[in-house]
Every structure is written in structure tokens, then in C-alpha cells.
Amino acid sequence: MRLIDFYVDGFGILHDVSIETISPGLSIFLGDNEAGKTTCLSFLRDMFFGFPDGRSKENSYSPLAGGQHGGRLLLHSDRLGEVLLERRPGKRGGVVTIMFEGGATGGEEDLRQLLGGVTREVFKNIYAFSLSELQQIETLDNDRVKAVLYGATTGTVSLPTALSGIEAKLTELYRP
């Protein structure tokens, strides 16, 4: 899955902002201090994994410049084609709507499947990180993050998937 473009309705200092035609591969957001780079990164994280609730220590990025909290992401999946993800305020991270090519719609469970088991922690440390995360190398000291890095570097399945397959085969062979 890859991000094609996104629209921010209201998120922190961002309002009515579109970023279009993001090229495949590595994308880097550059800008002056206080330009909104961290806000933009947090927007992407929250769109995929939900807005933090009032109990969280994370910034909720309530809209300061107008608009309704949230926005849209246009994604491309090799399996599903173009997928539009929209998230709006609501319970448990907000209300998710997924729109597939052909007009079918889905929700939170479809988003989890689309993400392929990637968690907020893995996304934050592997796929969408800031300089502050790079400065704190101990953020990579997480079993799930290590497993994704292992799979990415070997070009094979992730370590937990490989271990599950081995465990299943051992059970099949040695149970009798």
C-alpha cells in the first residue's frame, strides 16, 4: 500500500490543505520551524490509527485554524486498487470510512486489514518517523518493530509469521 495524496480538513494549524501526487518511494517533508511538518506527520499517523483520547498524553491536534477534525487519504493497494480513507471525530479514535473502487464501503476492520497488521508503534518507528525519533534509538527496542525490520532487511516474511509457520509445522509433525 502507498499514499497517493491527502487532504487535511482541520488538524492543529492545518486547515483545508491538500498534498497531491506523492511519488512512490521515500518522501521527506521539508520546511521552516513551525511550518507544520510535525503536525502533518501526526495527521498521517492519526488518520491510520485513530485520534488520541482525552486520557492520552499525546497532542490531539484540535483544529486551530478551522475545519472539522480529520481529513482524507487516497491510498493505492496492489490488491484493491485505489482506496479512500476518511476519519472524523468520534469514540475510540474517531469514525473511519473506507471507500473502495466500485463503490463498496468499509470501516475500522477493513483499515486494519489494509494496514496488514502494522501497529501505530511500528508505523511511528519504521514508516513515518521524525528526527526526534531517530535521536531516540531505544524506540526501536520493541519486539514488533524488530520483527518488521528483520522482514524488511531479509526481503522475506516477517519473523513472527515465520515462527508461527514453523510452530504449526512442528505441531503437525510431532503431535502424533
Side-chain angles (χ1 to χ4, degrees):
M1 176 184 71
R2 78 175 185 87
L3 180 63
I4 297 172
D5 61 45
F6 61 92
Y7 170 76
V8 182
D9 189 352
F11 195 85
I13 63 169
L14 303 176
H15 167 59
D16 195 27
V17 174
S18 290
I19 304 294
E20 299 175 354
T21 318
I22 299 171
S23 356
L26 179 65
S27 296
I28 299 172
F29 289 89
L30 300 172
D32 293 334
N33 289 344
E34 303 302 317
K37 300 178 299 294
T38 300
T39 303
C40 187
L41 178 60
S42 295
F43 170 76
L44 294 173
R45 290 173 178 168
D46 287 358
M47 289 298 292
F48 283 125
F49 301 102
F51 303 126
D53 63 17
R55 299 170 293 178
S56 173
K57 293 178 184 175
E58 291 184 48
N59 186 345
S60 66
Y61 289 93
S62 297
L64 300 175
Q68 185 180 14
H69 202 196
R72 301 185 292 274
L73 307 179
L74 182 60
L75 310 166
H76 177 78
S77 162
D78 289 338
R79 190 172 52 87
L80 301 170
E82 285 192 0
V83 178
L84 186 68
L85 160 65
E86 186 172 286
R87 188 179 291 270
R88 295 294 176 189
K91 294 181 181 179
R92 297 189 185 139
V95 178
V96 172
T97 305
I98 304 283
M99 288 161 263
F100 299 99
E101 284 184 354
T105 61
E108 191 73 45
E109 181 56 36
D110 295 295
L111 176 56
R112 277 194 290 277
Q113 289 178 9
L114 193 60
L115 290 170
V118 171
T119 63
R120 179 183 282 269
E121 189 70 21
V122 168
F123 187 79
K124 183 177 181 178
N125 289 291
I126 303 298
Y127 299 110
F129 52 86
S130 67
L131 288 176
S132 62
E133 276 112 23
L134 283 177
Q135 291 170 335
Q136 300 170 353
I137 197 70
E138 65 271 4
T139 59
L140 297 177
D141 193 22
N142 170 303
D143 289 338
R144 183 86 176 128
V145 172
K146 288 177 186 176
V148 170
L149 282 174
Y150 172 80
T153 58
T154 62
T156 61
V157 297
S158 70
L159 190 55
T161 303
L163 290 174
S164 294
I166 292 168
E167 186 66 37
K169 192 65 175 174
L170 286 172
T171 301
E172 177 187 319
L173 290 171
Y174 293 109
R175 180 174 287 159

